[in-house]
Amino acid sequence: MVNLAKTLAIIIFLVVVVIQLFAFNYISLFTPAMTQLNNFFNTNSGPLFKYYIFHDKIIIYIENNENFTIIVYNISGNYLYLPKQEVIPPNSAKNITLIITNPDKFQEAIKSSSYTLTIKLSFLDANVTVTQVI
Amino acid sequence: MRIRYPLTLIALLLNVAISLLPGYWWYYSIGKLGIVESSPFEIYVSILGSSLLVINLVNVFLFAFRFYVSTISLYYVYSILTKGKKQTYLTITWLSYMYILDPVIIYLIFNFILASFFPAGYHFFIIGVENVTIQSGNYVITTYVQSYPTFEYFISLVVGSLNLASRLLKKY
Protein backbone atom coordinates (compact mmCIF):
# COMPACT_ATOMS: atom_id res chain seq x y z
CA MET A 1 0.00 0.00 0.00
CA VAL A 2 1.25 3.45 -0.85
CA ASN A 3 1.80 5.64 2.20
CA LEU A 4 -0.45 8.60 1.43
CA ALA A 5 1.17 10.87 4.03
CA LYS A 6 4.67 10.38 2.59
CA THR A 7 3.52 10.71 -1.02
CA LEU A 8 1.76 13.97 -0.18
CA ALA A 9 4.83 15.19 1.73
CA ILE A 10 7.19 14.42 -1.18
CA ILE A 11 4.90 16.29 -3.61
CA ILE A 12 4.82 19.33 -1.30
CA PHE A 13 8.62 19.09 -0.84
CA LEU A 14 9.15 19.18 -4.62
CA VAL A 15 6.66 22.03 -5.10
CA VAL A 16 8.46 24.13 -2.47
CA VAL A 17 11.84 23.39 -4.10
CA VAL A 18 10.55 24.36 -7.56
CA ILE A 19 8.87 27.55 -6.25
CA GLN A 20 12.10 28.66 -4.56
CA LEU A 21 14.32 27.82 -7.53
CA PHE A 22 12.17 29.42 -10.21
CA ALA A 23 9.63 31.82 -8.68
CA PHE A 24 12.14 33.23 -6.18
CA ASN A 25 14.95 32.71 -8.69
CA TYR A 26 17.34 30.84 -6.38
CA ILE A 27 18.60 29.09 -9.53
CA SER A 28 20.44 32.31 -10.48
CA LEU A 29 22.68 31.78 -7.42
CA PHE A 30 24.26 28.76 -9.06
CA THR A 31 26.86 30.60 -11.17
CA PRO A 32 28.08 33.02 -8.45
CA ALA A 33 28.19 30.11 -5.97
CA MET A 34 30.42 28.08 -8.29
CA THR A 35 32.62 31.11 -9.05
CA GLN A 36 33.09 31.67 -5.31
CA LEU A 37 34.08 28.02 -4.76
CA ASN A 38 36.56 28.23 -7.65
CA ASN A 39 38.10 31.38 -6.19
CA PHE A 40 38.50 29.74 -2.78
CA PHE A 41 40.51 26.90 -4.26
CA ASN A 42 42.40 28.70 -7.03
CA THR A 43 43.44 32.15 -5.87
CA ASN A 44 46.34 32.37 -3.52
CA SER A 45 45.08 35.37 -1.59
CA GLY A 46 46.22 36.31 1.87
CA PRO A 47 48.33 39.31 2.71
CA LEU A 48 50.97 40.40 0.22
CA PHE A 49 54.37 41.51 1.58
CA LYS A 50 56.95 43.69 -0.17
CA TYR A 51 60.22 44.75 1.46
CA TYR A 52 62.14 47.99 0.85
CA ILE A 53 65.46 47.98 2.67
CA PHE A 54 67.20 51.29 3.49
CA HIS A 55 70.31 52.07 5.52
CA ASP A 56 68.65 52.45 8.92
CA LYS A 57 65.13 51.19 8.36
CA ILE A 58 63.01 48.68 6.45
CA ILE A 59 59.66 49.59 5.00
CA ILE A 60 57.29 46.65 4.63
CA TYR A 61 54.36 47.18 2.32
CA ILE A 62 51.46 44.94 3.41
CA GLU A 63 48.43 44.61 1.17
CA ASN A 64 45.28 43.22 2.80
CA ASN A 65 42.92 41.96 0.08
CA GLU A 66 40.52 40.37 2.55
CA ASN A 67 37.33 41.77 4.06
CA PHE A 68 38.66 41.48 7.62
CA THR A 69 41.10 43.52 9.68
CA ILE A 70 44.67 42.31 10.14
CA ILE A 71 46.63 43.36 13.23
CA VAL A 72 50.42 43.24 13.04
CA TYR A 73 51.50 42.61 16.64
CA ASN A 74 55.19 42.29 16.18
CA ILE A 75 57.92 41.87 13.61
CA SER A 76 61.24 40.77 15.01
CA GLY A 77 64.66 39.79 13.78
CA ASN A 78 68.27 40.47 14.63
CA TYR A 79 69.11 44.17 14.94
CA LEU A 80 65.60 45.46 14.19
CA TYR A 81 62.26 46.08 15.87
CA LEU A 82 58.73 47.31 15.17
CA PRO A 83 58.08 50.50 17.16
CA LYS A 84 54.32 49.93 17.64
CA GLN A 85 51.60 47.48 16.65
CA GLU A 86 49.83 48.27 13.36
CA VAL A 87 46.23 47.75 12.25
CA ILE A 88 45.45 47.14 8.57
CA PRO A 89 41.73 47.65 7.80
CA PRO A 90 39.91 45.39 5.29
CA ASN A 91 40.83 45.89 1.61
CA SER A 92 43.60 48.35 2.18
CA ALA A 93 47.37 48.56 2.17
CA LYS A 94 49.86 50.00 4.60
CA ASN A 95 53.55 50.77 4.84
CA ILE A 96 55.09 49.62 8.10
CA THR A 97 58.45 50.99 9.16
CA LEU A 98 60.92 48.82 11.06
CA ILE A 99 63.83 50.49 12.85
CA ILE A 100 67.29 49.01 12.39
CA THR A 101 69.29 49.37 15.59
CA ASN A 102 72.71 48.45 14.24
CA PRO A 103 72.99 49.11 10.48
CA ASP A 104 76.47 47.60 10.05
CA LYS A 105 75.67 44.33 11.83
CA PHE A 106 72.34 44.20 10.00
CA GLN A 107 74.03 44.53 6.57
CA GLU A 108 76.40 41.74 7.51
CA ALA A 109 73.56 39.50 8.67
CA ILE A 110 71.43 40.08 5.59
CA LYS A 111 74.32 39.31 3.23
CA SER A 112 74.73 35.90 4.86
CA SER A 113 71.34 35.16 3.17
CA SER A 114 69.91 33.34 6.19
CA TYR A 115 68.32 36.34 7.84
CA THR A 116 65.04 35.30 9.45
CA LEU A 117 62.15 37.64 10.14
CA THR A 118 59.36 36.55 12.49
CA ILE A 119 56.00 38.23 11.86
CA LYS A 120 53.16 37.92 14.37
CA LEU A 121 49.72 38.71 12.95
CA SER A 122 46.20 38.35 14.21
CA PHE A 123 42.94 38.15 12.26
CA LEU A 124 39.52 36.57 12.81
CA ASP A 125 40.53 35.49 16.35
CA ALA A 126 43.53 33.54 15.08
CA ASN A 127 47.16 34.31 15.90
CA VAL A 128 49.45 33.62 13.00
CA THR A 129 53.24 33.44 13.22
CA VAL A 130 55.08 33.60 9.91
CA THR A 131 58.83 33.12 9.60
CA GLN A 132 60.38 34.48 6.42
CA VAL A 133 63.96 34.29 5.22
CA ILE A 134 65.04 37.42 3.34
CA MET B 1 -16.11 13.65 22.67
CA ARG B 2 -12.91 12.56 24.38
CA ILE B 3 -9.78 13.13 22.31
CA ARG B 4 -7.78 9.93 21.86
CA TYR B 5 -3.99 9.80 21.99
CA PRO B 6 -3.42 13.32 23.45
CA LEU B 7 0.36 12.83 23.88
CA THR B 8 0.76 11.76 20.24
CA LEU B 9 -1.29 14.76 19.08
CA ILE B 10 0.83 17.19 21.11
CA ALA B 11 4.09 15.56 19.93
CA LEU B 12 2.99 15.74 16.27
CA LEU B 13 1.92 19.40 16.56
CA LEU B 14 5.26 20.22 18.23
CA ASN B 15 6.97 18.52 15.25
CA VAL B 16 5.28 21.10 13.03
CA ALA B 17 6.36 23.92 15.36
CA ILE B 18 10.02 22.81 15.55
CA SER B 19 10.23 22.20 11.79
CA LEU B 20 8.87 25.67 10.98
CA LEU B 21 10.96 27.47 13.65
CA PRO B 22 13.74 29.51 12.01
CA GLY B 23 17.21 29.41 13.53
CA TYR B 24 20.02 26.98 14.22
CA TRP B 25 20.57 24.03 16.56
CA TRP B 26 24.36 24.13 16.85
CA TYR B 27 27.23 26.62 16.51
CA TYR B 28 30.82 25.67 15.59
CA SER B 29 33.77 27.84 14.83
CA ILE B 30 37.51 27.68 14.30
CA GLY B 31 38.52 31.07 15.65
CA LYS B 32 36.46 33.26 13.34
CA LEU B 33 38.26 31.69 10.36
CA GLY B 34 35.44 29.23 9.75
CA ILE B 35 31.96 29.40 11.28
CA VAL B 36 29.22 26.78 10.88
CA GLU B 37 25.72 27.27 12.24
CA SER B 38 23.33 24.47 11.45
CA SER B 39 20.02 22.79 12.01
CA PRO B 40 18.43 20.01 9.91
CA PHE B 41 16.43 22.79 8.21
CA GLU B 42 18.99 25.55 7.70
CA ILE B 43 22.78 25.93 7.44
CA TYR B 44 25.11 28.94 7.49
CA VAL B 45 28.82 28.63 6.68
CA SER B 46 31.36 31.42 6.60
CA ILE B 47 34.98 30.93 5.60
CA LEU B 48 37.59 33.67 6.13
CA GLY B 49 34.93 36.28 6.80
CA SER B 50 32.72 35.67 3.76
CA SER B 51 29.61 33.52 3.73
CA LEU B 52 29.56 30.51 1.42
CA LEU B 53 26.99 31.08 -1.36
CA VAL B 54 26.60 27.42 -2.33
CA ILE B 55 25.00 26.84 1.09
CA ASN B 56 22.03 28.99 -0.05
CA LEU B 57 21.34 26.33 -2.69
CA VAL B 58 21.52 23.57 -0.07
CA ASN B 59 19.11 25.64 2.04
CA VAL B 60 16.52 25.51 -0.79
CA PHE B 61 16.18 21.76 -0.14
CA LEU B 62 16.41 22.08 3.64
CA PHE B 63 13.66 24.73 3.56
CA ALA B 64 11.44 22.35 1.60
CA PHE B 65 12.26 19.62 4.17
CA ARG B 66 10.47 21.81 6.77
CA PHE B 67 7.26 21.29 4.77
CA TYR B 68 7.94 17.56 4.29
CA VAL B 69 8.09 17.02 8.07
CA SER B 70 5.09 19.31 8.69
CA THR B 71 2.93 17.60 6.06
CA ILE B 72 3.51 14.10 7.48
CA SER B 73 2.93 15.32 11.05
CA LEU B 74 -0.29 17.14 10.12
CA TYR B 75 -1.55 14.15 8.12
CA TYR B 76 -1.03 11.91 11.18
CA VAL B 77 -2.88 14.49 13.33
CA TYR B 78 -5.72 14.36 10.79
CA SER B 79 -5.85 10.54 10.83
CA ILE B 80 -5.97 10.47 14.66
CA LEU B 81 -8.77 13.05 14.79
CA THR B 82 -10.91 11.62 11.98
CA LYS B 83 -10.21 7.87 11.99
CA GLY B 84 -8.89 7.44 15.53
CA LYS B 85 -5.89 5.67 14.03
CA LYS B 86 -2.66 6.28 15.94
CA GLN B 87 0.51 6.94 13.95
CA THR B 88 3.78 8.23 15.39
CA TYR B 89 6.59 10.03 13.59
CA LEU B 90 10.16 9.77 14.85
CA THR B 91 12.12 11.96 12.37
CA ILE B 92 12.60 14.82 14.87
CA THR B 93 13.59 12.24 17.50
CA TRP B 94 16.33 10.76 15.33
CA LEU B 95 17.53 14.17 14.11
CA SER B 96 17.75 15.65 17.62
CA TYR B 97 19.43 12.58 19.14
CA MET B 98 21.85 12.13 16.24
CA TYR B 99 22.89 15.79 16.32
CA ILE B 100 25.24 14.95 19.17
CA LEU B 101 27.28 13.02 16.57
CA ASP B 102 28.18 16.25 14.73
CA PRO B 103 31.00 17.26 17.10
CA VAL B 104 32.32 13.68 16.75
CA ILE B 105 32.32 13.95 12.94
CA ILE B 106 34.01 17.38 13.01
CA TYR B 107 36.63 16.07 15.44
CA LEU B 108 37.36 13.11 13.13
CA ILE B 109 37.63 15.38 10.05
CA PHE B 110 39.92 17.80 11.86
CA ASN B 111 42.19 15.29 13.59
CA PHE B 112 42.45 12.60 10.96
CA ILE B 113 41.66 14.01 7.49
CA LEU B 114 43.07 17.56 7.86
CA ALA B 115 45.94 16.24 9.98
CA SER B 116 47.14 14.15 7.06
CA PHE B 117 47.82 17.40 5.13
CA PHE B 118 49.37 19.44 7.96
CA PRO B 119 49.85 18.93 11.69
CA ALA B 120 46.61 19.92 13.39
CA GLY B 121 44.58 18.62 16.26
CA TYR B 122 42.71 19.25 19.48
CA HIS B 123 41.38 17.23 22.42
CA PHE B 124 37.96 15.72 21.89
CA PHE B 125 34.97 17.52 23.37
CA ILE B 126 31.26 17.97 22.56
CA ILE B 127 30.37 21.31 24.17
CA GLY B 128 32.92 24.03 24.92
CA VAL B 129 36.15 25.56 23.68
CA GLU B 130 39.53 23.96 22.93
CA ASN B 131 42.75 25.60 21.77
CA VAL B 132 44.15 24.36 18.50
CA THR B 133 47.49 24.84 16.74
CA ILE B 134 47.87 24.33 13.01
CA GLN B 135 51.28 24.22 11.32
CA SER B 136 51.60 24.67 7.60
CA GLY B 137 54.94 25.45 5.97
CA ASN B 138 56.41 28.51 7.66
CA TYR B 139 53.01 29.42 9.17
CA VAL B 140 51.94 28.59 12.72
CA ILE B 141 48.28 29.39 13.45
CA THR B 142 47.02 29.28 17.02
CA THR B 143 43.30 29.69 17.59
CA TYR B 144 40.36 27.90 19.26
CA VAL B 145 37.59 25.50 18.29
CA GLN B 146 34.15 26.31 19.69
CA SER B 147 31.10 24.03 19.75
CA TYR B 148 27.81 25.01 21.37
CA PRO B 149 24.20 23.83 21.12
CA THR B 150 21.62 26.61 20.98
CA PHE B 151 18.50 26.92 23.17
CA GLU B 152 16.50 25.74 20.16
CA TYR B 153 18.45 22.45 20.20
CA PHE B 154 17.21 21.69 23.71
CA ILE B 155 13.64 22.42 22.60
CA SER B 156 14.12 19.96 19.73
CA LEU B 157 15.47 17.34 22.18
CA VAL B 158 12.31 17.76 24.29
CA VAL B 159 10.10 17.48 21.18
CA GLY B 160 12.08 14.42 20.03
CA SER B 161 11.69 12.78 23.43
CA LEU B 162 7.93 13.46 23.48
CA ASN B 163 7.64 11.76 20.09
CA LEU B 164 9.62 8.78 21.38
CA ALA B 165 7.35 8.62 24.44
CA SER B 166 4.27 8.71 22.18
CA ARG B 167 5.66 5.71 20.30
CA LEU B 168 6.39 3.76 23.50
CA LEU B 169 3.16 4.58 25.38
CA LYS B 170 0.60 2.75 23.26
CA LYS B 171 -2.45 4.18 25.03
CA TYR B 172 -1.50 7.87 24.76
Side-chain angles (χ1 to χ4, degrees):
Chain A
M1 196 196 110
V2 183
N3 185 331
L4 189 57
K6 280 187 180 151
T7 314
L8 205 63
I10 288 169
I11 292 168
I12 288 176
F13 175 88
L14 291 175
V15 167
V16 174
V17 167
V18 168
I19 288 173
Q20 287 184 91
L21 286 181
F22 299 101
F24 295 129
N25 210 13
Y26 270 85
I27 195 97
S28 66
L29 269 177
F30 188 77
T31 315
M34 290 303 132
T35 312
Q36 189 197 33
L37 280 185
N38 258 332
N39 290 347
F40 265 124
F41 293 116
N42 292 339
T43 55
N44 189 10
S45 53
L48 176 84
F49 294 94
K50 275 181 194 162
Y51 299 91
Y52 302 97
I53 304 177
F54 298 93
H55 177 66
D56 59 348
K57 67 183 178 186
I58 296 179
I59 293 176
I60 303 182
Y61 171 82
I62 302 183
E63 202 175 281
N64 177 11
N65 296 318
E66 306 287 351
N67 49 4
F68 49 78
T69 302
I70 297 177
I71 301 166
V72 182
Y73 277 122
N74 195 16
I75 300 178
S76 55
N78 285 337
Y79 316 116
L80 61 76
Y81 69 96
L82 178 72
K84 62 174 175 55
Q85 102 180 23
E86 301 276 353
V87 177
I88 309 164
N91 294 304
S92 66
K94 201 165 197 176
N95 285 321
I96 292 177
T97 308
L98 301 178
I99 309 295
I100 297 172
T101 49
N102 191 333
D104 296 334
K105 287 265 180 66
F106 178 77
Q107 288 298 332
E108 235 172 72
I110 209 158
K111 270 173 196 149
S112 71
S113 78
S114 63
Y115 188 83
T116 312
L117 213 54
T118 305
I119 303 169
K120 285 188 174 149
L121 306 170
S122 172
F123 52 86
L124 296 169
D125 284 5
N127 290 321
V128 181
T129 307
V130 193
T131 47
Q132 292 210 323
V133 178
I134 54 172
Chain B
M1 193 191 103
R2 203 177 122 259
I3 292 175
R4 299 182 71 188
Y5 310 121
L7 179 65
T8 313
L9 279 178
I10 290 169
L12 288 169
L13 289 172
L14 285 173
N15 273 350
V16 178
I18 200 82
S19 66
L20 296 181
L21 199 65
Y24 305 106
W25 287 11
W26 213 285
Y27 173 92
Y28 301 97
S29 79
I30 302 171
K32 294 276 182 293
L33 299 171
I35 298 171
V36 179
E37 289 178 280
S38 77
S39 86
F41 309 109
E42 201 173 348
I43 302 182
Y44 169 82
V45 177
S46 107
I47 294 177
L48 293 174
S50 41
S51 78
L52 212 53
L53 289 175
V54 75
I55 294 300
N56 293 347
L57 290 170
V58 175
N59 278 337
V60 165
F61 295 92
L62 295 181
F63 185 76
F65 183 54
R66 291 175 185 277
F67 293 90
Y68 177 87
V69 173
S70 306
T71 307
I72 291 180
S73 300
L74 288 175
Y75 188 90
Y76 288 178
V77 167
Y78 166 81
S79 75
I80 289 173
L81 291 178
T82 59
K83 299 172 207 158
K85 187 183 162 210
K86 175 175 164 170
Q87 274 177 300
T88 53
Y89 187 43
L90 291 186
T91 293
I92 296 293
T93 312
W94 288 121
L95 287 174
S96 62
Y97 287 11
M98 291 298 167
Y99 234 72
I100 214 86
L101 284 180
D102 274 25
V104 180
I105 294 166
I106 288 191
Y107 172 79
L108 292 177
I109 291 175
F110 212 95
N111 284 265
F112 295 99
I113 297 177
L114 282 186
S116 61
F117 295 103
F118 41 75
Y122 61 87
H123 296 293
F124 177 70
F125 69 105
I126 286 178
I127 297 171
V129 190
E130 271 287 338
N131 289 328
V132 61
T133 303
I134 303 164
Q135 287 187 330
S136 172
N138 53 350
Y139 284 80
V140 179
I141 302 169
T142 52
T143 184
Y144 55 82
V145 176
Q146 248 183 334
S147 164
Y148 286 108
T150 66
F151 181 63
E152 205 174 313
Y153 176 66
F154 292 106
I155 299 175
S156 77
L157 267 183
V158 170
V159 174
S161 303
L162 281 177
N163 277 283
L164 187 62
S166 78
R167 163 73 57 97
L168 298 175
L169 302 168
K170 305 281 182 215
K171 285 184 180 172
Y172 299 95

